[in-house]
Amino acid sequence: MAIPPVIKQVAKTEANKESVEEKIDPSKSVENEPVIEAKPRLSTKKEKKTTSRSLAAKKSNKDSSKKITEAETKQPIIKEHEQREEPSIFTRIGEKFDELHRVDTEFEGDLSEESNLKRAERRKEDRVVHKIVYVLTIGILIVAGILAISGYNYVNAGLKPLDKNDKKLVQVEVPSGSSNRQIGDILEDGDVIRDGMIFNFYTKFKNLTNFQAGYYQFSPNMTLDQISKELQEGGSAEPLDDASKVTIPEGYDIDQIATLVAKKTDFKKADFIKLMKDDKFFEELKTTYPDLLTDAGNAKDVRYRLEGYLFPATYNVHKSRSLEDLVTQMVDTTNQVMSQYYSQIKEKGMDVQEVMTLASLVEKEGVTESDRKNIAQVFFNRIDSGMALQSDISILYALGEHKEVVTIKDTQVDSPYNLYVNTGYGPGPFDNPSQEAISAVLNPTDNDYVYFVADISTGKVYYAKTYEEHMELVEKYVNKGQ
């Protein structure tokens, strides 16, 4: 085990003391000893007295005193010398740190001026770099903002009709197997839309698929949604001309459709009405579309069995096609729309004829989706309560007229379609409803109303739970101008 420096120092000091004491002869007189500095170890010797007063003893005492004095004089010198030779480890570490600090201070003093110059240059360069980065960042943000605004305006313009005032029909051909991007390019090249790429993004965003090949006629005033719907319905296998395009509006009844077809094609209205009453033709269609037309075939007292089943859409009519082909195309479109609802209709305990009948009333009674769903529930509430539906639409169909106001006399018309007198759904549909009206009947908004009336000036619909509330609404919103 190593002995600490402090212990070593104490041991050496004690050794020195013993060495000095050995040099003093204890047998000799110490008469002159009082001159020596008082110390614990030497005081006992001072008390000893000799009886010998001989001259030799005195001389011996003088010599001893002289030796002690010299020894004591040398002792501090020896201690100081030994302490300088053996400093403690803490002292040495402190001295080393002091030396390093001194050297470092001298070195920094020599380089301080040069370092300050370099640091000043670096700070100056940093400021220049920061300014450049700041200017570039602002510039990039400005350019990005301009590009974003320009891009938004371009896309927004591309989603709108190319020219809302241009109704001229443009014939385009969509080859079999064409992708949405390719169809967009065809429409852009035909000056039907503004940008084919935007059309591609729009159809993908809306998840519009199943576009069919064929010849189509579009106009620059059509929206991308209208164009997409026609592409889903299918085109003609042969080139078309302007007179062969027929658009059936939502809510048109068979008499109105017959008039429109006669106006747009070479077919006559009488021939169209005759075909609607042809039972053989209907049976052929029912065999082809049993899920759609079986209930209509079982209905009684109907005017036209196909009323409600000629879906409102745009159809292409070629001169080589027959009237039967056109009607079949209309029924086929209705079946495509209704195929997604057949299971839901069974779950509700209804049949297709009932759904199409209520949908034909909802189509005319309501304008917005919200009103249509509420009105559908009002009809269900009245049927559940055994009340007549009392729809003016049924009266107008029974009369075979289209007018604004229904009179009390009109409500007394003798017809199975008169739902002021007869309860239930009636024989069948009163017009050909849209998909939105069909969906409203199958997904009505729950309520407990049994009356509704529309403001004739704004079209807003108001609902009531009692007859008294209903009459107040009639006076306020219907008879206000009378």
Side-chain angles (χ1 to χ4, degrees):
M1 179 182 296
I3 300 175
V6 176
I7 298 176
K8 288 181 179 181
Q9 183 66 29
V10 173
K12 288 182 178 182
T13 303
E14 293 295 331
N16 289 336
K17 288 181 180 180
E18 292 176 0
S19 175
V20 173
E21 290 176 356
E22 288 176 359
K23 291 179 181 180
I24 300 176
D25 188 358
S27 64
K28 295 182 179 180
S29 174
V30 288
E31 198 173 43
N32 296 326
E33 200 170 359
V35 299
I36 302 173
E37 294 180 2
K39 291 184 182 290
R41 296 181 64 88
L42 298 177
S43 61
T44 55
K45 296 179 182 181
K46 198 173 185 181
E47 293 176 356
K48 296 180 181 180
K49 293 182 180 180
T50 179
T51 57
S52 176
R53 300 290 182 178
S54 64
L55 183 61
K58 290 181 178 179
K59 184 177 180 181
S60 176
N61 287 339
K62 289 181 179 179
D63 294 338
S64 300
S65 299
K66 186 176 181 180
K67 290 180 181 180
I68 294 172
T69 303
E70 291 177 355
E72 291 179 349
T73 303
K74 291 179 181 180
Q75 184 176 350
I77 296 174
I78 294 171
K79 291 180 180 180
E80 183 179 356
H81 176 69
E82 289 176 354
Q83 287 177 353
R84 283 199 302 269
E85 290 179 351
E86 296 293 339
S88 68
I89 188 170
F90 301 106
T91 302
R92 283 183 289 177
I93 291 174
E95 291 176 352
K96 192 64 177 177
F97 273 115
D98 292 340
E99 182 180 356
L100 291 175
H101 179 69
R102 179 180 57 76
V103 174
D104 186 59
T105 302
E106 293 176 357
F107 181 76
E108 288 184 353
D110 295 339
L111 299 180
S112 60
E113 184 176 355
E114 182 179 356
S115 299
N116 289 336
L117 290 175
K118 289 183 178 180
R119 283 196 292 269
E121 291 178 359
R122 285 197 298 269
R123 285 196 294 269
K124 185 177 180 180
E125 292 175 356
D126 290 343
R127 286 194 295 269
V128 173
V129 171
H130 290 162
K131 288 181 179 179
I132 295 174
V133 172
Y134 177 78
V135 172
L136 289 176
T137 302
I138 296 299
I140 292 172
L141 291 175
I142 292 174
V143 172
I146 294 174
L147 291 176
I149 294 173
S150 300
Y152 173 80
N153 291 333
Y154 183 80
V155 172
N156 190 47
L159 294 174
K160 296 179 180 179
L162 180 62
D163 186 353
K164 63 180 181 179
N165 297 319
D166 189 355
K167 298 181 180 180
K168 182 180 178 180
L169 293 174
V170 178
Q171 181 169 281
V172 297
E173 180 185 6
V174 177
S176 178
S178 297
S179 65
N180 290 16
R181 178 60 187 273
Q182 291 171 329
I183 294 175
D185 292 339
I186 292 172
L187 296 174
E188 181 181 354
D189 294 339
D191 293 328
V192 176
I193 63 175
R194 191 179 305 276
D195 191 283
M197 183 173 62
I198 294 178
F199 175 84
N200 180 41
F201 289 148
Y202 175 81
T203 54
K204 287 184 177 180
F205 179 77
K206 290 285 189 177
N207 197 27
L208 300 175
T209 57
N210 298 325
F211 293 157
Q212 301 183 36
Y215 290 92
Y216 295 86
Q217 288 183 335
F218 300 116
S219 60
N221 69 340
M222 296 177 67
T223 64
L224 298 185
D225 189 56
Q226 291 173 328
I227 293 173
S228 299
K229 285 183 178 180
E230 289 202 21
L231 289 169
Q232 289 177 323
E233 293 167 1
S236 172
E238 300 178 17
L240 304 165
D241 54 35
D242 293 349
S244 62
K245 191 178 185 70
V246 179
T247 299
I248 308 302
E250 297 171 345
Y252 261 35
D253 60 30
I254 282 180
D255 285 333
Q256 291 172 309
I257 294 175
T259 300
L260 183 63
V261 169
K263 182 180 179 180
K264 292 291 185 177
T265 70
D266 294 334
F267 301 122
K268 296 179 181 180
K269 180 178 179 179
D271 293 336
F272 193 93
I273 296 297
K274 182 180 179 180
L275 184 62
M276 293 297 100
K277 294 181 178 181
D278 189 337
D279 291 336
K280 182 180 179 180
F281 177 64
F282 176 81
E283 290 297 326
E284 292 175 354
L285 290 175
K286 187 176 72 172
T287 301
T288 305
Y289 307 101
D291 293 332
L292 179 68
L293 298 177
T294 297
D295 295 329
N298 296 330
K300 297 179 180 180
D301 300 325
V302 294
R303 183 179 299 173
Y304 304 114
R305 292 196 180 277
L306 288 178
E307 186 77 86
Y309 298 93
L310 305 182
F311 196 79
T314 299
Y315 299 96
N316 296 314
V317 183
H318 195 268
K319 293 181 179 180
S320 63
R321 300 288 183 90
S322 65
L323 186 58
E324 287 81 357
D325 292 334
L326 173 61
V327 174
T328 300
Q329 188 177 357
M330 294 178 179
V331 174
D332 181 76
T333 304
T334 304
N335 184 67
Q336 292 180 30
V337 172
M338 292 299 295
S339 61
Q340 60 185 302
Y341 300 121
Y342 291 141
S343 59
Q344 187 177 358
I345 291 172
K346 291 181 180 179
E347 291 175 359
K348 286 184 171 292
M350 301 178 68
D351 59 45
V352 176
Q353 185 80 345
E354 292 172 340
V355 171
M356 301 304 285
T357 299
L358 280 188
S360 67
L361 294 177
V362 169
E363 179 70 46
K364 292 290 188 67
E365 295 284 10
V367 177
T368 67
E369 180 181 3
S370 176
D371 281 335
R372 286 176 172 176
K373 289 186 174 183
N374 275 307
I375 290 172
Q377 185 60 51
V378 171
F379 286 147
F380 283 123
N381 293 341
R382 294 179 72 91
I383 290 174
D384 292 341
S385 300
M387 301 172 64
L389 295 183
Q390 295 184 339
S391 171
D392 290 351
I393 305 303
S394 67
I395 300 300
L396 295 176
Y397 192 83
L399 295 172
E401 300 179 15
H402 299 280
K403 57 182 182 178
E404 294 293 331
V405 180
V406 174
T407 66
I408 295 178
K409 182 180 179 180
D410 292 336
T411 62
Q412 298 173 354
V413 61
D414 183 16
S415 171
Y417 285 96
N418 183 349
L419 296 185
Y420 268 82
V421 176
N422 303 301
T423 59
Y425 295 91
F430 302 87
D431 56 62
N432 293 273
S434 64
Q435 183 174 358
E436 186 179 90
I438 296 169
S439 178
V441 171
L442 294 174
N443 303 281
T445 298
D446 187 35
N447 62 60
D448 53 0
Y449 300 118
V450 290
Y451 295 97
F452 67 88
V453 63
D455 188 331
I456 58 176
S457 60
T458 64
K460 182 175 176 58
V461 181
Y462 298 90
Y463 303 90
K465 298 178 183 179
T466 66
Y467 181 74
E468 289 74 19
E469 293 175 352
H470 174 65
M471 292 309 298
E472 290 178 3
L473 293 173
V474 171
E475 287 298 324
K476 185 176 181 179
Y477 297 107
V478 178
N479 300 333
K480 60 182 178 179
Q482 299 179 2

